[in-house]
Each structure stands twice: as structure tokens, then as C-alpha cells.
């Protein structure tokens, strides 16, 4: 399978992997100002945008990203489910990863046993395994993920297509991100959350601690962290200067 890749700008390569519902073109709109200095490569994950359909599954998707987009040195980032994909992809081809930015992954397994995290994991799994109507599914997903958007009675087809991909997806609670491999890799790591969710703060704190990553909170848009007012400045500062000392 070949992923469709949205490409903008010029300069060093930055690969950005989107999360659930939206494809690469829509998920990273707020990063367009960075194209004056960076080449942004935003793949459509399988079943999203213009990429061929396939079940949503972080492991084969990570292999696609590693093979097709990390064939040369690149910065790598991911949002939500795409952050899980990015972590796995970085571990597959670390020699071509210049930096890794992880934004609010639903990687609940890293904090398994915490009651609020386990409750969140169960809610995601229940939704993915349900046969709920896609419109109602969008409303449920936006509510517990923390997406500050009202879902109309007739959502855009892009949203419906993305929601259908989420239904039947491999649940993110099955992911065991390769945190020790990332910690040992020779690239800097940044973990970013939106400051809106106890669950995400626990997950992001745990990933940062276990991988030796830097940690930032960008408030203002909840789970839509790339739309937060300070996110682009935080990301670009990290891309230009980030090589924090790993503890």
C-alpha cells in the first residue's frame, strides 16, 4: 500500500501523522505558517483522505510510515492515534529520525492500573467495538477525547469517513509503545498535551518520564493541541534547538 502524502513548503522535512477522524490535509492546517521554513509531509493514514482503505492498526501503519516517509532524515511528529504510530515508526527506523514529537496519544497501557486511565481505555475500546451510528459515534468520541467541536446533524463526509475508520479499529489500549528503545535512541523527544484531561496528563507524563523526553503543555484547544495558540512556536523551537539532556 502506498500512502497518499500531502506536502507543503520548503526546508527541512517534518513528517506529521494525524490522529482519528481527520486526514493529513485537515489535521495539520494550523501548521501551514511553518511552511515558510519547513517542508511538511502529512500522510493520509489508511482509510483517510486519499489513501487506500484498511483497518486502523498502529503497527502496520507504523511500518508504512517508516518505509515510505523515513527513507531519509526527517523530523517526526504524531497526534493522538497518530502519535502511537509515530512512536512505533521512530523505533523501526531511528537512524533517520531527527526528532520525535508526541502529542496526546491514547496510549493507556503505559499507565495501566490507574483507575481513571483504565476507565478511559474501556470507553475507547467500547466505542471502537460498537455498531453505533457514525454521527452519534462522533459526538461520543469528541466528548470523551476532548474535542471542542459541536457535531451537526449532518457532518461533513470527511468526518463521517474518519469515524467509520475508528469503528472497528484496533484499540489503542493494545499499544505497548517502545519507550525504552526511544529512550536509547539518538534523537530528542518532546511530549505535548493540552492541559484539559487528567488522563492525558498521566499518559504524557509517563511517556516523558520513561522515554527521557522534554514535556510541554499547550492550552486553549483541548485535544486539538496543534490548534493551540502557542503550539507552533513550541514545536518550531524544539525542531530548531531541541536536544534535551536525557535523564
Amino acid at each position: 500500500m502506498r500512502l497518499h502524502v500531502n506536502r507543503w513548503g520548503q526546508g527541512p522535512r517534518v513528517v506529521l501523522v494525524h490522529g482519528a477522524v481527520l486526514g493529513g490535509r485537515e489535521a495539520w492546517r494550523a501548521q501551514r505558517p511553518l511552511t515558510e521554513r519547513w517542508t511538511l509531509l502529512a500522510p493520509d493514514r489508511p482509510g483517510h483522505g486519499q489513501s487506500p482503505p484498511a483497518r486502523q492498526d498502529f503497527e502496520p501503519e507504523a511500518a508504512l510510515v517508516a518505509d515510505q516517509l523515513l527513507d531519509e532524515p526527517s523530523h517526526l511528529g504524531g497526534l493522538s492515534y497518530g502519535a502511537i504510530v509515530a512512536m512505533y515508526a521512530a523505533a523501526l527506523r531511528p537512524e533517520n529520525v531527527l526528532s520525535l514529537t508526541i502529542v496526546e496519544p491514547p496510549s493507556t497501557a503505559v499507565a495501566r492500573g490507574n483507575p481513571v486511565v483504565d476507565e478511559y481505555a474501556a470507553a475507547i475500546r467500547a466505542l471502537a467495538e460498537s455498531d453505533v451510528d457514525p454521527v452519534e459515534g462522533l459526538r461520543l468520541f469528541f466528548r470523551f477525547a476532548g474535542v471542542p467541536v459541536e457535531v451537526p446533524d449532518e457532518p461533513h463526509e470527511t468526518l463521517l469517513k474518519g469515524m467509520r475508520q475508528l469503528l472497528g479499529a484496533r484499540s489503542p489500549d493494545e499499544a505497548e509503545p517502545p519507550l525504552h528503545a526511544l529512550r536509547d535512541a539518538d534523537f530528542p523527544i518532546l511530549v505535548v498535551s493540552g492541559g484539559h484531561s487528567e488522563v492525558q496528563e498521566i499518559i504524557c507524563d509517563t511517556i516523558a518520564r520513561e522515554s527521557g523526553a522534554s514535556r510541554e503543555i499547550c492550552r486553549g484547544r483541548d485535544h486539538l493541541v496543534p490548534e493551540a495558540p502557542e503550539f507552533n512556536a513550541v514545536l518550531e523551537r524544539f525542531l530548531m534547538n531541541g536536544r534535551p539532556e536525557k535523564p
Side-chain angles (χ1 to χ4, degrees):
M1 174 188 293
R2 295 296 304 179
L3 297 175
H4 176 79
V5 179
N6 303 279
R7 182 186 183 110
W8 311 284
Q10 56 185 354
R13 289 165 51 104
V14 183
V15 176
L16 298 171
V17 187
H18 67 85
V21 181
L22 292 178
R25 182 173 179 270
E26 293 82 9
W28 303 103
R29 284 183 180 274
Q31 281 55 68
R32 299 297 178 82
L34 299 177
T35 60
E36 295 181 7
R37 296 169 296 279
W38 307 88
T39 298
L40 303 186
L41 302 169
D44 291 330
R45 291 172 41 230
H48 296 84
Q50 298 182 53
S51 288
R55 184 191 183 213
Q56 180 170 290
D57 186 328
F58 48 85
E59 287 190 284
E61 292 182 22
L64 292 173
V65 170
D67 290 346
Q68 298 176 27
L69 289 154
L70 297 180
D71 55 335
E72 61 182 275
S74 307
H75 298 277
L76 176 62
L79 168 65
S80 194
Y81 200 97
I84 299 177
V85 174
M87 285 189 281
Y88 275 83
L92 289 173
R93 210 156 188 181
E95 69 279 5
N96 278 349
V97 178
L98 299 176
S99 73
L100 174 63
T101 302
I102 301 162
V103 184
E104 290 214 346
S107 304
T108 54
V110 303
R112 187 180 289 123
N114 184 299
V116 296
V117 175
D118 290 347
E119 181 180 356
Y120 180 79
I124 295 177
R125 176 174 285 277
L127 178 59
E129 294 178 350
S130 74
D131 59 357
V132 67
D133 174 78
V135 177
E136 183 58 27
L138 274 173
R139 292 179 175 137
L140 290 170
F141 174 65
F142 282 10
R143 190 177 307 130
F144 68 70
V147 177
V149 175
E150 289 292 326
V151 178
D153 291 337
E154 296 184 7
H156 192 280
E157 179 56 33
T158 298
L159 294 175
L160 294 176
K161 180 179 180 180
M163 188 63 215
R164 294 186 190 104
Q165 275 296 108
L166 193 153
L167 298 174
R170 184 178 182 186
S171 179
D173 69 345
E174 297 182 21
E176 300 280 354
L179 300 183
H180 290 165
L182 296 179
R183 185 186 185 94
D184 293 340
D186 187 30
F187 51 79
I189 304 171
L190 175 66
V191 180
V192 189
S193 60
H196 65 102
S197 162
E198 180 184 5
V199 171
Q200 280 296 343
E201 296 309 307
I202 292 169
I203 291 172
C204 289
D205 286 346
T206 303
I207 290 173
R209 183 175 64 251
E210 296 297 323
S211 67
S214 298
R215 184 77 169 84
E216 294 279 359
I217 299 175
C218 294
R219 304 178 190 274
R221 288 293 286 161
D222 295 351
H223 187 56
L224 301 180
V225 180
E227 297 181 6
E230 62 185 301
F231 179 79
N232 280 356
V234 166
L235 176 61
E236 188 163 38
R237 184 167 61 246
F238 173 65
L239 297 180
M240 294 177 67
N241 305 313
R243 184 163 284 278
E245 293 296 325
K246 295 186 179 183

